[in-house]
Amino acid sequence: MQTRRAAVLSAAAVALSALSSRAASAAAPARASGSVPAPSGTPGPAAAVSGARDGLVRMALPAPSGPYAVGTVALRLVDRSRPDPWVARPYRELMVSVRYPAGRASGHPPAPQMLPGEAAAFVGLNSLQGVPAERVDWAATPTHAHQGAAAAVGRFPVVLYSPGAGDPRSLGTTFCDDLASRGHVVVAIDHTYDAAGVEFPGGRVELSVLPAEFAKVVPDPEHPDPAKVAPLLRRTVDVRVADTRFVLDRLPDVLAPRLRDAVDLRRVGMFGHSAGGFTALEAMYEDPRIAAAANFDGVTAYVMDDPDRGYLSPVAAHGLDRPFLLVGKDGNTRRTVPSWDALWRHSSGPRHGLTLRGAAHATYTDAEVLVPQIARALDLPRATVTGLIGTIAPRRAVTTGRTCLAAFFGHYLRPPVTAQGPGPLEWPSLQLPDLRPFV
């Protein structure tokens, strides 16, 4: 049961009381800047290495499975038409990472998963209950995306990514890098003052205000009043949707010419995890430019727990006329998540619903591959691991999630072969035995 999740919006991964107290006691992150080089002798995704000098655990991410190398660039975007909704600032400031198919990656260093300031903030505020985050070198994990690599020749669909509440955009790297390697331009968004910490050029880090905002409406986390929590959850989703639409507005203007030529804004999709999945569907409801969206285990109502009723979002109350995908943890279906059932019943477009056997809420993030490495290095209890990422084998979980995502966007964002658009998407043909379609 995903109870009392901090600014959850879709049951994000930490008890609200624990999150709030952790944030209050967290030290300010280091004001560091610059990229982090990949450690020599990077281990495979099944192995973790403890630093010989500092004793910190260092990890690796699985390689993408597509035919393209992956390039990346980080961008600072400023929306001067909108005051920041969380702090007293006359403009809204965001960081995004653009992943894209690259022609060649040699000579371009791999980007780090987290910059030092982001990593320090993540130590102080994260959803990995039972994991001693201070014993992990979060800034030492290299990605498979290469900084500044030239874009491949061609025009590729755009897919936006929104992370869970409190999570950094970097916690979706496994999915984002893979989708880019399969021929998509993936734009991952950090929602400033929502994410644990967002590092801007020069090393300035802005921390999450969600724990403090939650404490204002819920003085006693053990007895939250749904009627008081719902407005905060709605506000958080609304901010995320506005961020998403702004990024989509600005994208053509902020990309370098070669990369701009590779972006096909006639084909736009979005996906996310938890609150990010909720954001993806709500953004598609509000913005007709988004043609398809995938939601990994995010409720679509302003409630604390998946089974809670009421407080439906506009997208759940009115439905969608374009294709969407719901992927739940083990046990989450339209029959057990009332807001999903409302969305399903009110929608007229193509609908896909899948449950992953043995999955937990964080299965659809990089925690799926990072937590087992940390657990082996630090000898953590098996219950800690399964509580976070379920019982499905990590390799199977990653393969299944990446295949689902690529199949969905590959189907609905490809150029239409007929005036009627693509035909039905048949999940059994993917031969993923851990998936169970909704009934």
Side-chain angles (χ1 to χ4, degrees), residues 356-381:
L356 182 56
R357 184 174 57 188
H361 186 62
T363 291
Y364 309 109
T365 71
D366 290 344
E368 182 66 30
V369 293
L370 299 181
V371 167
Q373 297 176 60
I374 298 168
R376 280 189 289 272
L378 300 181
D379 196 25
L380 300 182

Side-chain angles (χ1 to χ4, degrees), residues 48-365:
V49 175
S50 294
R53 288 173 297 179
D54 55 22
L56 297 178
V57 178
R58 296 186 172 89
M59 303 161 294
L61 294 169
S65 61
Y68 291 98
V70 179
T72 187
V73 60
L75 301 171
R76 172 182 176 261
L77 305 181
V78 179
D79 184 356
R80 299 196 181 276
S81 69
R82 180 172 51 127
D84 195 283
W86 296 117
V87 300
R89 180 171 290 161
Y91 56 86
R92 178 74 170 154
E93 186 181 24
L94 302 172
M95 287 298 297
V96 302
S97 293
V98 182
R99 252 58 172 188
Y100 53 89
R104 209 170 55 133
S106 60
H108 296 273
Q113 184 186 29
M114 296 185 195
L115 294 174
E118 296 169 325
F122 190 73
V123 170
L125 183 64
N126 64 76
S127 59
L128 303 179
Q129 290 184 302
V131 173
E134 71 281 358
R135 297 182 63 186
V136 178
D137 189 348
W138 300 99
T141 306
T143 70
H144 295 273
H146 297 265
Q147 300 175 88
V153 175
R155 288 181 65 80
F156 305 98
V158 174
V159 178
L160 304 164
Y161 171 72
S162 179
D167 288 342
R169 70 190 192 276
S170 56
L171 209 58
T173 296
T174 297
F175 279 6
C176 291
D177 281 2
D178 188 72
L179 202 56
S181 79
R182 297 183 189 229
H184 299 78
V185 175
V186 184
V187 183
I189 305 169
D190 256 343
H191 301 286
T192 315
Y193 305 112
D194 177 331
V198 180
E199 184 164 346
F200 289 92
R204 173 172 56 92
V205 178
E206 301 294 346
L207 300 178
S208 178
V209 302
L210 290 187
E213 292 294 325
F214 182 81
K216 292 178 185 177
V217 297
V218 182
D220 179 6
E222 292 301 317
H223 302 93
D225 181 348
K228 293 183 177 179
V229 174
L232 174 59
L233 302 188
R234 177 159 193 159
R235 178 185 175 191
T236 310
V237 173
D238 288 348
V239 172
R240 287 163 158 260
V241 170
D243 289 347
T244 300
R245 302 187 72 177
F246 167 69
V247 169
L248 200 49
D249 289 342
R250 288 296 314 279
L251 201 58
D253 302 323
V254 296
L255 299 177
R258 175 73 180 269
L259 183 53
R260 188 186 310 132
D261 291 342
V263 170
D264 187 352
L265 285 170
R266 298 167 301 174
R267 297 182 286 158
V268 177
M270 186 169 182
F271 79 104
H273 166 251
S274 194
F278 187 171
T279 300
L281 296 182
E282 188 64 36
M284 184 164 77
Y285 173 77
E286 297 188 23
D287 196 321
R289 292 175 294 181
I290 301 175
N295 173 0
F296 286 89
D297 212 42
V299 299
T300 51
Y302 309 115
V303 295
M304 300 281 294
D305 294 328
D306 297 348
D308 289 352
R309 297 185 177 276
Y311 303 102
L312 291 179
S313 64
V315 68
H318 301 290
L320 291 164
D321 60 1
R322 282 153 287 158
F324 67 86
L325 169 66
L326 300 174
V327 184
K329 69 174 185 177
D330 199 341
N332 272 7
T333 72
R334 59 172 293 212
R335 306 298 183 191
T336 61
V337 182
S339 63
W340 284 7
D341 185 58
L343 170 66
W344 197 275
R345 289 185 289 103
H346 296 146
S347 295
S348 60
R351 290 154 288 184
H352 303 277
L354 304 167
T355 297
L356 182 56
R357 184 174 57 188
H361 186 62
T363 291
Y364 309 109
T365 71

